[in-house]
Amino acid sequence: MRRGIGESSDWAVICRELRCPQCASYDVKVQIEAFGQGLPELRRRRAAMITIELALHILKRASFSGSRPSVPVEAVRLALRALYPHLQDRSVLEGYWASYTIADPKPWGESPIKAYEDMIVRLLKRGYSVPAELRADMWPSA
């Protein structure tokens, strides 16, 4: 509908000039839809972004050996499962799990942080936005 009312960006003009496409009445309710998507699509995208952000928070925290005891294994498994539909790649998830489940993690040893960084890069390539605080510790090459 926006294209049909001209180039005006004045909200009052838009509301006054808009007509019902069925009966041509000026008695219409005007709502904004971001990016021209319908409400169900926006809700699905928002739900996906919330799921991704929560899963990444859990995985980032679990990536460091000092915080592993405070992050339940079940939470890590659930976070990995939640990310699969968005990553569509088992190898990076399996890589994280293999690094995470090392019997005796040491601060200087193997860490799942590289697999975590790979997840971030893949999500960004697939068009998902990742909050800056979840990308802050990544190497510049990523």
Side-chain angles (χ1 to χ4, degrees):
M1 294 293 294
R2 173 69 174 95
R3 292 187 189 123
I5 60 171
E7 294 300 317
S8 175
S9 60
D10 182 12
W11 186 248
V13 172
I14 292 171
C15 292
R16 186 174 58 245
E17 293 180 0
L18 211 59
R19 300 178 97 176
C20 175
Q22 294 175 348
C23 69
S25 169
Y26 284 103
D27 186 24
V28 296
K29 180 179 178 183
V30 180
Q31 294 180 319
I32 296 175
E33 287 188 16
F35 310 110
Q37 295 174 328
L39 197 54
E41 175 60 29
L42 288 175
R43 286 183 178 152
R44 273 193 297 279
R45 184 146 177 88
R46 178 157 169 73
M49 294 312 302
I50 290 170
T51 301
I52 290 169
E53 187 174 341
L54 289 172
L56 290 175
H57 274 288
I58 291 168
L59 296 178
K60 184 174 184 179
R61 187 166 171 220
S63 295
F64 302 102
S65 62
S67 63
R68 285 191 193 177
S70 65
V71 180
V73 173
E74 294 82 10
V76 173
R77 292 174 75 188
L78 183 59
L80 291 170
R81 282 181 183 247
L83 285 177
Y84 177 73
H86 309 289
L87 288 171
Q88 299 281 319
D89 184 3
R90 289 181 62 113
S91 65
V92 70
L93 301 172
E94 289 171 350
Y96 184 96
W97 183 252
S99 298
Y100 176 78
T101 55
I102 292 174
D104 185 24
K106 303 212 177 351
W108 60 86
E110 188 74 20
S111 167
I113 198 67
K114 177 64 177 133
Y116 174 83
E117 291 172 352
D118 289 344
M119 286 182 219
I120 299 291
V121 170
R122 289 172 194 248
L123 286 168
L124 292 171
K125 283 182 181 176
R126 291 184 56 90
Y128 293 100
S129 60
V130 177
E133 67 268 13
L134 297 172
R135 292 182 276 131
D137 296 331
M138 291 181 55
W139 297 106
S141 64

